[in-house]
Every structure is written in C-alpha cells, then in structure tokens.
Amino acid sequence: MKQINAIIMAAGMSSRLAPLSYEKPKGLLKVKNEILIERQIKQLQEKGIVDITVITGYKAEQFEYLRDQFGVDIVYNKDYFRYNNTSSLRLVIDKLKNTYICPPTTIFKIIYLVQMSQNLFTLFKMQMELVMNVLLL
C-alpha cells in the first residue's frame, strides 16, 4: 500500500469569518466543543495518516502547539497575505505524492478518495459541514 500524507492549508486570513477571525484563524475556532483543525488531525490519524503537514501564515504562532500535541509538521508561508494557495503548495511540493489537500475547517463524516492524477489525490466527501453553515445554525 502506498504511503498517504495530508497537507492542511491553514495560511489564509479567514477574512470571510470576520470579526470571528480577528483573534484566531478559522481552523482554531471551536465548533461543538472541538477545535476544528484538531478534530481534522485526529480523524486523519485515526485513518492511519500520520504524515501531516500544516501550512500556516496568518497568526502562525497560534498553530505551533499542534507540533508537540499531534506530531505534525508546521510550514510557514511568509507570502500568505499576497498570494493564493499555490504559494503554500509550492512550499511542500516535494510532499505532493498520494496526498490529501485539506482546508483546516473540514468536518469529515464520510470520506471518499478520488485519484485526480497519477500521484496526487484530492479529498471529496459525501457529507461535509462547512464552518459557515455550522456557525450560522
């Protein structure tokens, strides 16, 4: 079986969630008593995916505890405020083999993998709650 890894894209400024994102990035928001990115990391690890990299930018220091608590790698994108997700992915291009690329706010219920190219996987889910929907309830 091929080794699968995950990249969590958490560098953005979360501007669509303002004013909630003024104090912390959306991945660190608590929904139903769980911090979103922590839940995602746990779910990935429960599925046997232990090679997890979190790409940070906005308020990056707030994500540092994940390194010790969950054993994930942290990569800082200094250009997070100028460029889009491609600038984040360029920082981990060497890791893009059999990779889940995830936003930090996905709440997984049922996971389906679809091979999009020879060595790159992307994540699709049958049911997904987005942070905006949960927060608006």
Side-chain angles (χ1 to χ4, degrees):
M1 177 177 244
K2 292 181 181 180
Q3 179 73 24
I4 298 175
N5 66 333
I7 306 293
I8 300 176
M9 309 283 284
M13 294 178 64
S14 313
S15 58
R16 289 181 294 239
L17 284 179
L20 293 174
S21 60
Y22 292 161
E23 297 297 319
K24 60 178 68 176
K26 67 183 173 190
L28 295 175
L29 294 175
K30 208 178 251 193
V31 174
K32 295 187 179 182
N33 247 2
E34 288 186 283
I35 295 173
L36 290 170
I37 197 166
E38 289 182 14
R39 177 181 168 140
Q40 184 177 55
I41 291 168
K42 288 178 202 171
Q43 288 177 316
L44 290 165
Q45 290 175 337
E46 286 168 5
K47 294 294 182 185
I49 300 166
V50 294
D51 181 2
I52 300 171
T53 302
V54 178
I55 304 175
T56 64
Y58 176 66
K59 298 197 179 283
E61 67 284 352
Q62 292 184 24
F63 290 97
E64 284 298 318
Y65 77 97
L66 296 171
R67 187 187 317 263
D68 294 329
Q69 189 168 334
F70 295 99
V72 300
D73 293 327
I74 305 286
V75 173
Y76 177 66
N77 180 359
K78 65 182 171 116
D79 292 321
Y80 72 91
F81 60 94
R82 284 194 289 185
Y83 302 110
N84 58 23
N85 285 335
T86 55
S87 70
S88 289
L89 286 176
R90 290 188 72 205
L91 297 172
V92 294
I93 199 160
D94 58 320
K95 291 186 172 225
L96 296 179
K97 294 179 181 91
N98 303 317
T99 303
Y100 290 125
I101 300 173
C102 316
T105 54
T106 303
I107 299 174
F108 300 127
K109 285 189 175 180
I110 298 173
I111 300 174
Y112 286 93
L113 298 178
V114 178
Q115 187 170 3
M116 298 302 287
S117 66
Q118 186 176 11
N119 288 319
L120 180 64
F121 285 82
T122 192
L123 181 67
F124 285 93
K125 297 175 301 62
M126 183 183 216
Q127 297 176 0
M128 179 171 88
E129 297 172 279
L130 298 176
V131 173
M132 288 298 292
N133 292 337
V134 172
L135 293 175
L136 294 175
L137 293 178

